[in-house]
């Protein structure tokens, strides 16, 4: 089994890379873990992940990273699995409302790889090995800060996470039939710009300890 761990930046998986048992990266013949940097944002990630999938044909593509959180009832630092993702900024703002591609009839909501106007992970039941809390996410190219925009996104999509690469993973993997998982650690609440209130270090530590536990369990089950 060939497993690729991908993130926008190497820093997001570097602690896992340095601490992961060499059994998984070098010694085992039946199970191998590789690490990949996709770049930041939907454009870089879509190209990079498509290239990776077509050339390497992974048995599982695991995207890891930090994310902003819309739901203040969920504690920062928590690690979640994204069940459904979509592009949250692909559309038009009219009369205070957000209309996406499907509202504008530019795309059909059930045309592959979409399903009900979203990009769900059909493999999540099989690969959510640690039984992480599953949530819906949106992906944007510009981090959301305006209160009005936050309200629009919540009303339209009811998301928990916001990232800049998640939908790229879902789009590429659903398009190619590649099993995948998106795991995110919640580092900050959306709209909070006081970085003293963010939990970047704790989120990063939790993310990487979760990755190590996940690979341990996957190896035993593979």
């Amino acid at each position: 089994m060939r497993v690729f761990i991908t993130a926008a930046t190497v820093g997001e998986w570097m602690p896992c890379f340095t601490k992961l048992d060499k059994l998984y990266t070098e010694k085992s013949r039946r199970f191998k873990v590789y690490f990949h940097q996709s770049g930041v944002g939907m454009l870089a990630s879509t190209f990079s992940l498509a290239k990776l999938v077509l050339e390497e044909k992974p048995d599982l593509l695991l995207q890891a990273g930090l994310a902003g959180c819309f739901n203040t009832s969920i504690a920062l630092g928590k690690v979640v699995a994204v069940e459904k993702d979509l592009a949250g900024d692909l559309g038009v703002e009219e009369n205070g409302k957000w209309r996406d591609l499907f509202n504008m009839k530019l795309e059909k909501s059930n045309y592959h790889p979409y399903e009900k106007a979203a990009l769900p992970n059909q493999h999540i039941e099989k690969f959510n090995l640690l039984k992480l809390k599953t949530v819906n996410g949106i992906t944007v190219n510009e981090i959301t800060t305006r209160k009005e925009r936050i309200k629009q996104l919540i009303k339209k999509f009811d998301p928990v996470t916001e990232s800049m690469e998640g939908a790229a993973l879902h789009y590429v993997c659903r398009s190619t039939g590649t099993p995948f998982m998106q795991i995110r650690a919640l580092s900050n609440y959306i709209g909070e710009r006081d970085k003293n209130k963010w939990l970047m270090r704790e989120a990063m530590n939790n993310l990487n300890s979760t990755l190590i536990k996940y690979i341990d369990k996957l190896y035993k089950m593979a």
Side-chain angles (χ1 to χ4, degrees), residues 49-220:
L49 294 175
K51 187 172 185 289
L52 171 66
V53 165
L54 294 174
E55 291 181 353
E56 300 292 343
K57 296 178 172 55
D59 296 299
L60 177 65
L61 185 51
L62 175 59
Q63 186 184 68
L66 303 185
C69 179
F70 285 93
N71 189 338
T72 56
S73 68
I74 302 177
L76 294 182
K78 187 176 182 65
V79 180
V80 299
V82 178
E83 183 172 13
K84 182 173 66 176
D85 211 317
L86 47 83
D89 58 2
L90 193 57
V92 62
E93 187 175 7
E94 289 182 334
N95 302 319
K97 295 181 179 180
W98 182 256
R99 301 179 67 228
D100 60 20
L101 297 181
F102 310 102
N103 300 133
M104 294 189 291
K105 310 298 183 184
L106 297 176
E107 185 68 88
K108 293 190 177 181
S109 61
N110 283 312
Y111 268 23
H112 188 69
Y114 294 102
E115 184 178 318
K116 296 181 180 178
L119 296 164
N121 184 352
Q122 70 271 36
H123 306 281
I124 198 163
E125 186 174 341
K126 178 180 179 180
F127 286 107
N128 188 11
L129 305 180
L130 301 180
K131 305 302 180 186
L132 299 172
K133 178 180 177 64
T134 57
V135 302
N136 294 336
I138 61 169
T139 301
V140 296
N141 281 301
E142 180 182 28
I143 294 172
T144 307
T145 58
R146 291 190 298 114
K147 291 182 180 180
E148 295 79 8
R149 180 66 176 137
I150 293 170
K151 291 178 182 178
Q152 280 181 346
L153 292 172
I154 291 173
K155 185 176 181 179
K156 178 69 177 175
F157 302 116
D158 191 29
V160 168
T161 63
E162 179 181 88
S163 75
M164 300 179 79
E165 298 83 23
L169 173 80
H170 287 233
Y171 191 96
V172 168
C173 290
R174 284 181 59 84
S175 295
T176 58
T178 304
F180 67 100
M181 279 286 292
Q182 182 188 168
I183 295 177
R184 296 279 173 181
L186 307 177
S187 58
N188 60 282
Y189 293 120
I190 303 298
E192 177 57 71
R193 305 314 300 160
D194 181 357
K195 294 188 178 180
N196 291 321
K197 296 180 181 179
W198 293 18
L199 292 185
M200 297 287 288
R201 181 176 297 179
E202 182 177 338
M204 189 73 79
N205 289 341
N206 291 349
L207 175 67
N208 280 271
S209 63
T210 298
L211 286 176
I212 291 171
K213 291 176 185 176
Y214 187 92
I215 294 301
D216 284 340
K217 188 156 190 176
L218 185 62
Y219 174 79
K220 293 173 184 176

Side-chain angles (χ1 to χ4, degrees), residues 16-55:
C16 172
F17 176 80
T18 58
K19 296 177 182 178
L20 194 63
D21 194 318
K22 298 299 182 185
L23 171 67
Y24 308 139
T25 56
E26 297 176 11
K27 298 177 183 178
S28 176
R29 292 185 178 181
R30 69 173 181 87
F31 184 92
K32 194 80 71 177
V33 176
Y34 304 87
F35 290 84
H36 171 263
Q37 179 186 5
S38 71
V40 176
M42 276 189 277
L43 288 175
S45 292
T46 300
F47 174 79
S48 180
L49 294 175
K51 187 172 185 289
L52 171 66
V53 165
L54 294 174
E55 291 181 353

